PDB file of all heavy atoms in Angstrom:
ATOM      1  N   THR A   1     -16.065  -1.937  17.776  1.00 95.00           N
ATOM      2  CA  THR A   1     -16.576  -2.207  16.456  1.00 95.00           C
ATOM      3  C   THR A   1     -15.977  -1.138  15.390  1.00 95.00           C
ATOM      4  O   THR A   1     -16.315  -1.301  14.183  1.00 95.00           O
ATOM      5  CB  THR A   1     -18.115  -1.884  16.462  1.00 95.00           C
ATOM      6  OG1 THR A   1     -18.405  -0.562  17.072  1.00 95.00           O
ATOM      7  CG2 THR A   1     -18.798  -2.920  17.339  1.00 95.00           C
ATOM      8  N   MET A   2     -15.167  -0.201  15.814  1.00 96.00           N
ATOM      9  CA  MET A   2     -14.622   0.738  14.886  1.00 96.00           C
ATOM     10  C   MET A   2     -13.648   0.007  14.034  1.00 96.00           C
ATOM     11  O   MET A   2     -12.901  -0.847  14.458  1.00 96.00           O
ATOM     12  CB  MET A   2     -13.984   1.845  15.630  1.00 96.00           C
ATOM     13  CG  MET A   2     -13.320   3.002  14.777  1.00 96.00           C
ATOM     14  SD  MET A   2     -12.781   4.409  15.601  1.00 96.00           S
ATOM     15  CE  MET A   2     -14.387   5.187  16.100  1.00 96.00           C
ATOM     16  N   ALA A   3     -13.662   0.325  12.741  1.00 96.00           N
ATOM     17  CA  ALA A   3     -12.780  -0.270  11.713  1.00 96.00           C
ATOM     18  C   ALA A   3     -11.426  -0.040  12.046  1.00 96.00           C
ATOM     19  O   ALA A   3     -10.968   1.061  12.589  1.00 96.00           O
ATOM     20  CB  ALA A   3     -13.153   0.147  10.333  1.00 96.00           C
ATOM     21  N   ILE A   4     -10.517  -1.052  11.741  1.00 96.00           N
ATOM     22  CA  ILE A   4      -8.994  -0.817  11.878  1.00 96.00           C
ATOM     23  C   ILE A   4      -8.449  -0.837  10.476  1.00 96.00           C
ATOM     24  O   ILE A   4      -8.754  -1.623   9.626  1.00 96.00           O
ATOM     25  CB  ILE A   4      -8.491  -1.910  12.794  1.00 96.00           C
ATOM     26  CG1 ILE A   4      -7.008  -1.502  13.152  1.00 96.00           C
ATOM     27  CG2 ILE A   4      -8.549  -3.281  12.173  1.00 96.00           C
ATOM     28  CD1 ILE A   4      -6.440  -2.345  14.305  1.00 96.00           C
ATOM     29  N   ARG A   5      -7.502   0.079  10.250  1.00 96.00           N
ATOM     30  CA  ARG A   5      -6.860   0.141   8.943  1.00 96.00           C
ATOM     31  C   ARG A   5      -5.372   0.178   9.079  1.00 96.00           C
ATOM     32  O   ARG A   5      -4.726   0.783   9.864  1.00 96.00           O
ATOM     33  CB  ARG A   5      -7.252   1.511   8.349  1.00 96.00           C
ATOM     34  CG  ARG A   5      -6.737   1.740   6.883  1.00 96.00           C
ATOM     35  CD  ARG A   5      -7.202   3.059   6.370  1.00 96.00           C
ATOM     36  NE  ARG A   5      -8.742   3.236   6.303  1.00 96.00           N
ATOM     37  CZ  ARG A   5      -9.318   4.282   6.071  1.00 96.00           C
ATOM     38  NH1 ARG A   5      -8.610   5.405   5.885  1.00 96.00           N
ATOM     39  NH2 ARG A   5     -10.598   4.288   6.182  1.00 96.00           N
ATOM     40  N   LEU A   6      -4.777  -0.693   8.332  1.00 95.00           N
ATOM     41  CA  LEU A   6      -3.289  -0.911   8.315  1.00 95.00           C
ATOM     42  C   LEU A   6      -2.641   0.206   7.434  1.00 95.00           C
ATOM     43  O   LEU A   6      -2.946   0.320   6.369  1.00 95.00           O
ATOM     44  CB  LEU A   6      -2.965  -2.223   7.754  1.00 95.00           C
ATOM     45  CG  LEU A   6      -1.353  -2.549   7.569  1.00 95.00           C
ATOM     46  CD1 LEU A   6      -0.714  -2.429   8.904  1.00 95.00           C
ATOM     47  CD2 LEU A   6      -1.213  -3.877   6.840  1.00 95.00           C
ATOM     48  N   TYR A   7      -1.674   0.922   8.029  1.00 96.00           N
ATOM     49  CA  TYR A   7      -0.933   1.861   7.435  1.00 96.00           C
ATOM     50  C   TYR A   7       0.493   1.381   7.058  1.00 96.00           C
ATOM     51  O   TYR A   7       1.200   0.909   7.978  1.00 96.00           O
ATOM     52  CB  TYR A   7      -0.723   3.224   8.205  1.00 96.00           C
ATOM     53  CG  TYR A   7      -2.018   4.047   8.233  1.00 96.00           C
ATOM     54  CD1 TYR A   7      -3.187   3.683   8.879  1.00 96.00           C
ATOM     55  CD2 TYR A   7      -1.953   5.325   7.600  1.00 96.00           C
ATOM     56  CE1 TYR A   7      -4.289   4.463   8.903  1.00 96.00           C
ATOM     57  CE2 TYR A   7      -3.115   6.152   7.632  1.00 96.00           C
ATOM     58  CZ  TYR A   7      -4.242   5.713   8.253  1.00 96.00           C
ATOM     59  OH  TYR A   7      -5.363   6.478   8.309  1.00 96.00           O
ATOM     60  N   ARG A   8       0.932   1.355   5.800  1.00 91.00           N
ATOM     61  CA  ARG A   8       2.175   0.918   5.510  1.00 91.00           C
ATOM     62  C   ARG A   8       3.096   2.085   4.985  1.00 91.00           C
ATOM     63  O   ARG A   8       2.605   2.957   4.293  1.00 91.00           O
ATOM     64  CB  ARG A   8       2.181  -0.107   4.300  1.00 91.00           C
ATOM     65  CG  ARG A   8       1.539  -1.497   4.678  1.00 91.00           C
ATOM     66  CD  ARG A   8       1.728  -2.469   3.548  1.00 91.00           C
ATOM     67  NE  ARG A   8       1.247  -3.777   3.887  1.00 91.00           N
ATOM     68  CZ  ARG A   8       0.011  -4.173   3.665  1.00 91.00           C
ATOM     69  NH1 ARG A   8      -0.836  -3.373   2.978  1.00 91.00           N
ATOM     70  NH2 ARG A   8      -0.400  -5.403   3.924  1.00 91.00           N
ATOM     71  N   PRO A   9       4.347   2.081   5.377  1.00 86.00           N
ATOM     72  CA  PRO A   9       5.238   3.211   4.994  1.00 86.00           C
ATOM     73  C   PRO A   9       5.440   3.204   3.449  1.00 86.00           C
ATOM     74  O   PRO A   9       5.461   2.153   2.822  1.00 86.00           O
ATOM     75  CB  PRO A   9       6.553   2.863   5.649  1.00 86.00           C
ATOM     76  CG  PRO A   9       6.265   1.890   6.687  1.00 86.00           C
ATOM     77  CD  PRO A   9       5.038   1.146   6.245  1.00 86.00           C
ATOM     78  N   THR A  10       5.519   4.414   2.874  1.00 72.00           N
ATOM     79  CA  THR A  10       5.805   4.566   1.523  1.00 72.00           C
ATOM     80  C   THR A  10       7.215   4.991   1.358  1.00 72.00           C
ATOM     81  O   THR A  10       7.707   5.981   1.890  1.00 72.00           O
ATOM     82  CB  THR A  10       4.939   5.734   0.867  1.00 72.00           C
ATOM     83  OG1 THR A  10       3.557   5.364   1.033  1.00 72.00           O
ATOM     84  CG2 THR A  10       5.350   5.879  -0.627  1.00 72.00           C
ATOM     85  N   ARG A  11       8.029   4.119   0.766  1.00 61.00           N
ATOM     86  CA  ARG A  11       9.491   4.350   0.676  1.00 61.00           C
ATOM     87  C   ARG A  11       9.736   5.392  -0.373  1.00 61.00           C
ATOM     88  O   ARG A  11       9.080   5.454  -1.365  1.00 61.00           O
ATOM     89  CB  ARG A  11      10.181   2.991   0.337  1.00 61.00           C
ATOM     90  CG  ARG A  11      10.174   2.148   1.544  1.00 61.00           C
ATOM     91  CD  ARG A  11      10.812   0.798   1.280  1.00 61.00           C
ATOM     92  NE  ARG A  11      11.002   0.028   2.531  1.00 61.00           N
ATOM     93  CZ  ARG A  11       9.962  -0.620   3.166  1.00 61.00           C
ATOM     94  NH1 ARG A  11       8.824  -0.611   2.618  1.00 61.00           N
ATOM     95  NH2 ARG A  11      10.203  -1.236   4.247  1.00 61.00           N
ATOM     96  N   GLN A  12      10.878   6.113  -0.134  1.00 50.00           N
ATOM     97  CA  GLN A  12      11.231   7.201  -1.034  1.00 50.00           C
ATOM     98  C   GLN A  12      12.019   6.631  -2.216  1.00 50.00           C
ATOM     99  O   GLN A  12      12.631   5.620  -2.160  1.00 50.00           O
ATOM    100  CB  GLN A  12      12.226   8.139  -0.376  1.00 50.00           C
ATOM    101  CG  GLN A  12      11.444   8.845   0.932  1.00 50.00           C
ATOM    102  CD  GLN A  12      10.273   9.581   0.544  1.00 50.00           C
ATOM    103  OE1 GLN A  12      10.358  10.503  -0.139  1.00 50.00           O
ATOM    104  NE2 GLN A  12       9.152   9.160   1.028  1.00 50.00           N
ATOM    105  N   GLY A  13      11.979   7.384  -3.336  1.00 46.00           N
ATOM    106  CA  GLY A  13      12.701   6.943  -4.582  1.00 46.00           C
ATOM    107  C   GLY A  13      11.666   6.520  -5.644  1.00 46.00           C
ATOM    108  O   GLY A  13      10.550   6.044  -5.283  1.00 46.00           O
ATOM    109  N   ASN A  14      12.039   6.729  -6.848  1.00 42.00           N
ATOM    110  CA  ASN A  14      11.041   6.402  -8.000  1.00 42.00           C
ATOM    111  C   ASN A  14      10.679   5.000  -8.057  1.00 42.00           C
ATOM    112  O   ASN A  14       9.446   4.674  -8.218  1.00 42.00           O
ATOM    113  CB  ASN A  14      11.673   6.853  -9.337  1.00 42.00           C
ATOM    114  CG  ASN A  14      11.847   8.407  -9.412  1.00 42.00           C
ATOM    115  OD1 ASN A  14      11.193   9.082  -8.713  1.00 42.00           O
ATOM    116  ND2 ASN A  14      12.872   8.829 -10.130  1.00 42.00           N
ATOM    117  N   LEU A  15      11.610   4.025  -7.965  1.00 42.00           N
ATOM    118  CA  LEU A  15      11.317   2.554  -7.965  1.00 42.00           C
ATOM    119  C   LEU A  15      10.377   2.220  -6.904  1.00 42.00           C
ATOM    120  O   LEU A  15       9.430   1.479  -7.183  1.00 42.00           O
ATOM    121  CB  LEU A  15      12.556   1.797  -8.034  1.00 42.00           C
ATOM    122  CG  LEU A  15      12.465   0.251  -8.037  1.00 42.00           C
ATOM    123  CD1 LEU A  15      11.625  -0.142  -9.317  1.00 42.00           C
ATOM    124  CD2 LEU A  15      13.710  -0.423  -7.876  1.00 42.00           C
ATOM    125  N   SER A  16      10.739   2.616  -5.658  1.00 48.00           N
ATOM    126  CA  SER A  16       9.914   2.278  -4.483  1.00 48.00           C
ATOM    127  C   SER A  16       8.526   2.884  -4.606  1.00 48.00           C
ATOM    128  O   SER A  16       7.585   2.274  -4.134  1.00 48.00           O
ATOM    129  CB  SER A  16      10.638   2.713  -3.232  1.00 48.00           C
ATOM    130  OG  SER A  16      11.868   2.086  -3.124  1.00 48.00           O
ATOM    131  N   LEU A  17       8.417   4.133  -5.007  1.00 48.00           N
ATOM    132  CA  LEU A  17       7.140   4.746  -5.198  1.00 48.00           C
ATOM    133  C   LEU A  17       6.286   4.070  -6.142  1.00 48.00           C
ATOM    134  O   LEU A  17       5.068   3.745  -5.946  1.00 48.00           O
ATOM    135  CB  LEU A  17       7.322   6.179  -5.549  1.00 48.00           C
ATOM    136  CG  LEU A  17       6.018   7.044  -5.722  1.00 48.00           C
ATOM    137  CD1 LEU A  17       5.230   7.056  -4.412  1.00 48.00           C
ATOM    138  CD2 LEU A  17       6.370   8.445  -6.157  1.00 48.00           C
ATOM    139  N   LEU A  18       6.903   3.619  -7.284  1.00 50.00           N
ATOM    140  CA  LEU A  18       6.050   2.916  -8.362  1.00 50.00           C
ATOM    141  C   LEU A  18       5.689   1.575  -7.751  1.00 50.00           C
ATOM    142  O   LEU A  18       4.531   1.123  -8.042  1.00 50.00           O
ATOM    143  CB  LEU A  18       7.002   2.747  -9.528  1.00 50.00           C
ATOM    144  CG  LEU A  18       6.395   1.876 -10.776  1.00 50.00           C
ATOM    145  CD1 LEU A  18       5.063   2.572 -11.168  1.00 50.00           C
ATOM    146  CD2 LEU A  18       7.395   1.685 -11.897  1.00 50.00           C
ATOM    147  N   THR A  19       6.485   0.858  -7.041  1.00 54.00           N
ATOM    148  CA  THR A  19       6.152  -0.420  -6.468  1.00 54.00           C
ATOM    149  C   THR A  19       5.075  -0.203  -5.482  1.00 54.00           C
ATOM    150  O   THR A  19       3.998  -1.017  -5.518  1.00 54.00           O
ATOM    151  CB  THR A  19       7.369  -1.008  -5.766  1.00 54.00           C
ATOM    152  OG1 THR A  19       8.461  -1.174  -6.671  1.00 54.00           O
ATOM    153  CG2 THR A  19       7.028  -2.363  -5.125  1.00 54.00           C
ATOM    154  N   SER A  20       5.130   0.846  -4.628  1.00 55.00           N
ATOM    155  CA  SER A  20       4.047   1.130  -3.679  1.00 55.00           C
ATOM    156  C   SER A  20       2.775   1.436  -4.275  1.00 55.00           C
ATOM    157  O   SER A  20       1.736   0.832  -3.944  1.00 55.00           O
ATOM    158  CB  SER A  20       4.545   2.204  -2.758  1.00 55.00           C
ATOM    159  OG  SER A  20       3.495   2.488  -1.812  1.00 55.00           O
ATOM    160  N   MET A  21       2.794   2.230  -5.372  1.00 54.00           N
ATOM    161  CA  MET A  21       1.470   2.463  -5.977  1.00 54.00           C
ATOM    162  C   MET A  21       0.818   1.313  -6.614  1.00 54.00           C
ATOM    163  O   MET A  21      -0.383   1.137  -6.623  1.00 54.00           O
ATOM    164  CB  MET A  21       1.699   3.665  -7.054  1.00 54.00           C
ATOM    165  CG  MET A  21       2.124   5.018  -6.475  1.00 54.00           C
ATOM    166  SD  MET A  21       2.566   6.253  -7.716  1.00 54.00           S
ATOM    167  CE  MET A  21       0.984   6.305  -8.692  1.00 54.00           C
ATOM    168  N   THR A  22       1.716   0.511  -7.326  1.00 58.00           N
ATOM    169  CA  THR A  22       1.193  -0.742  -7.948  1.00 58.00           C
ATOM    170  C   THR A  22       0.575  -1.623  -6.948  1.00 58.00           C
ATOM    171  O   THR A  22      -0.460  -2.241  -7.152  1.00 58.00           O
ATOM    172  CB  THR A  22       2.310  -1.437  -8.707  1.00 58.00           C
ATOM    173  OG1 THR A  22       2.794  -0.541  -9.684  1.00 58.00           O
ATOM    174  CG2 THR A  22       1.778  -2.645  -9.483  1.00 58.00           C
ATOM    175  N   ALA A  23       1.256  -1.760  -5.763  1.00 56.00           N
ATOM    176  CA  ALA A  23       0.810  -2.703  -4.750  1.00 56.00           C
ATOM    177  C   ALA A  23      -0.534  -2.274  -4.139  1.00 56.00           C
ATOM    178  O   ALA A  23      -1.395  -2.990  -3.937  1.00 56.00           O
ATOM    179  CB  ALA A  23       1.825  -2.781  -3.604  1.00 56.00           C
ATOM    180  N   HIS A  24      -0.673  -0.919  -3.958  1.00 55.00           N
ATOM    181  CA  HIS A  24      -1.903  -0.322  -3.450  1.00 55.00           C
ATOM    182  C   HIS A  24      -3.147  -0.618  -4.460  1.00 55.00           C
ATOM    183  O   HIS A  24      -4.223  -0.855  -4.096  1.00 55.00           O
ATOM    184  CB  HIS A  24      -1.817   1.174  -3.251  1.00 55.00           C
ATOM    185  CG  HIS A  24      -1.047   1.478  -1.944  1.00 55.00           C
ATOM    186  ND1 HIS A  24      -1.294   0.864  -0.748  1.00 55.00           N
ATOM    187  CD2 HIS A  24      -0.061   2.335  -1.869  1.00 55.00           C
ATOM    188  CE1 HIS A  24      -0.435   1.272   0.107  1.00 55.00           C
ATOM    189  NE2 HIS A  24       0.265   2.284  -0.389  1.00 55.00           N
ATOM    190  N   ALA A  25      -2.780  -0.405  -5.766  1.00 55.00           N
ATOM    191  CA  ALA A  25      -3.866  -0.700  -6.783  1.00 55.00           C
ATOM    192  C   ALA A  25      -4.283  -2.174  -6.786  1.00 55.00           C
ATOM    193  O   ALA A  25      -5.456  -2.498  -6.879  1.00 55.00           O
ATOM    194  CB  ALA A  25      -3.319  -0.319  -8.178  1.00 55.00           C
ATOM    195  N   ILE A  26      -3.240  -3.090  -6.652  1.00 52.00           N
ATOM    196  CA  ILE A  26      -3.600  -4.538  -6.637  1.00 52.00           C
ATOM    197  C   ILE A  26      -4.444  -4.852  -5.385  1.00 52.00           C
ATOM    198  O   ILE A  26      -5.346  -5.624  -5.438  1.00 52.00           O
ATOM    199  CB  ILE A  26      -2.260  -5.333  -6.729  1.00 52.00           C
ATOM    200  CG1 ILE A  26      -1.575  -5.124  -8.017  1.00 52.00           C
ATOM    201  CG2 ILE A  26      -2.519  -6.831  -6.422  1.00 52.00           C
ATOM    202  CD1 ILE A  26      -0.228  -5.824  -8.112  1.00 52.00           C
ATOM    203  N   GLU A  27      -4.056  -4.287  -4.224  1.00 55.00           N
ATOM    204  CA  GLU A  27      -4.706  -4.478  -3.002  1.00 55.00           C
ATOM    205  C   GLU A  27      -6.161  -3.970  -3.077  1.00 55.00           C
ATOM    206  O   GLU A  27      -7.139  -4.653  -2.633  1.00 55.00           O
ATOM    207  CB  GLU A  27      -3.985  -3.808  -1.865  1.00 55.00           C
ATOM    208  CG  GLU A  27      -4.571  -4.163  -0.504  1.00 55.00           C
ATOM    209  CD  GLU A  27      -3.711  -3.663   0.618  1.00 55.00           C
ATOM    210  OE1 GLU A  27      -3.144  -2.538   0.410  1.00 55.00           O
ATOM    211  OE2 GLU A  27      -3.611  -4.295   1.630  1.00 55.00           O
ATOM    212  N   ALA A  28      -6.401  -2.786  -3.741  1.00 55.00           N
ATOM    213  CA  ALA A  28      -7.685  -2.244  -3.844  1.00 55.00           C
ATOM    214  C   ALA A  28      -8.537  -3.098  -4.736  1.00 55.00           C
ATOM    215  O   ALA A  28      -9.780  -3.184  -4.606  1.00 55.00           O
ATOM    216  CB  ALA A  28      -7.640  -0.802  -4.482  1.00 55.00           C
ATOM    217  N   ALA A  29      -7.944  -3.988  -5.652  1.00 53.00           N
ATOM    218  CA  ALA A  29      -8.669  -4.890  -6.407  1.00 53.00           C
ATOM    219  C   ALA A  29      -9.033  -6.191  -5.738  1.00 53.00           C
ATOM    220  O   ALA A  29      -9.579  -7.023  -6.319  1.00 53.00           O
ATOM    221  CB  ALA A  29      -7.869  -5.139  -7.762  1.00 53.00           C
ATOM    222  N   GLY A  30      -8.603  -6.238  -4.456  1.00 53.00           N
ATOM    223  CA  GLY A  30      -8.963  -7.414  -3.703  1.00 53.00           C
ATOM    224  C   GLY A  30      -7.962  -8.492  -3.627  1.00 53.00           C
ATOM    225  O   GLY A  30      -8.146  -9.572  -3.180  1.00 53.00           O
ATOM    226  N   LEU A  31      -6.761  -8.194  -4.207  1.00 53.00           N
ATOM    227  CA  LEU A  31      -5.648  -9.218  -4.276  1.00 53.00           C
ATOM    228  C   LEU A  31      -4.610  -8.849  -3.200  1.00 53.00           C
ATOM    229  O   LEU A  31      -3.469  -8.509  -3.546  1.00 53.00           O
ATOM    230  CB  LEU A  31      -5.063  -9.239  -5.636  1.00 53.00           C
ATOM    231  CG  LEU A  31      -5.978  -9.636  -6.771  1.00 53.00           C
ATOM    232  CD1 LEU A  31      -5.352  -9.558  -8.157  1.00 53.00           C
ATOM    233  CD2 LEU A  31      -6.606 -11.044  -6.538  1.00 53.00           C
ATOM    234  N   ALA A  32      -4.947  -8.918  -1.951  1.00 54.00           N
ATOM    235  CA  ALA A  32      -4.002  -8.466  -0.892  1.00 54.00           C
ATOM    236  C   ALA A  32      -2.774  -9.321  -0.832  1.00 54.00           C
ATOM    237  O   ALA A  32      -1.708  -8.770  -0.634  1.00 54.00           O
ATOM    238  CB  ALA A  32      -4.721  -8.534   0.511  1.00 54.00           C
ATOM    239  N   ASP A  33      -2.898 -10.664  -1.032  1.00 54.00           N
ATOM    240  CA  ASP A  33      -1.699 -11.508  -1.026  1.00 54.00           C
ATOM    241  C   ASP A  33      -0.688 -11.156  -2.056  1.00 54.00           C
ATOM    242  O   ASP A  33       0.507 -11.138  -1.815  1.00 54.00           O
ATOM    243  CB  ASP A  33      -2.097 -12.966  -1.161  1.00 54.00           C
ATOM    244  CG  ASP A  33      -2.914 -13.467   0.085  1.00 54.00           C
ATOM    245  OD1 ASP A  33      -2.850 -12.870   1.083  1.00 54.00           O
ATOM    246  OD2 ASP A  33      -3.576 -14.539  -0.069  1.00 54.00           O
TER     247      ASP A  33
END
């Protein structure tokens, strides 16, 4: 019954970091797809 959480790698570099942060914010808003 313990929750399972997906961990995704954060790529290095400014463009990749910005993409990752934006994706996390969108996912937190409930838009995982």
Side-chain angles (χ1 to χ4, degrees):
T1 55
M2 182 171 288
I4 189 165
R5 184 180 301 169
L6 175 61
Y7 283 69
R8 290 190 178 93
T10 301
R11 288 176 171 78
Q12 300 299 297
N14 294 334
L15 177 61
S16 298
L17 180 59
L18 178 60
T19 300
S20 179
M21 291 175 62
T22 304
H24 286 315
I26 294 174
E27 188 173 33
L31 301 174
D33 290 343

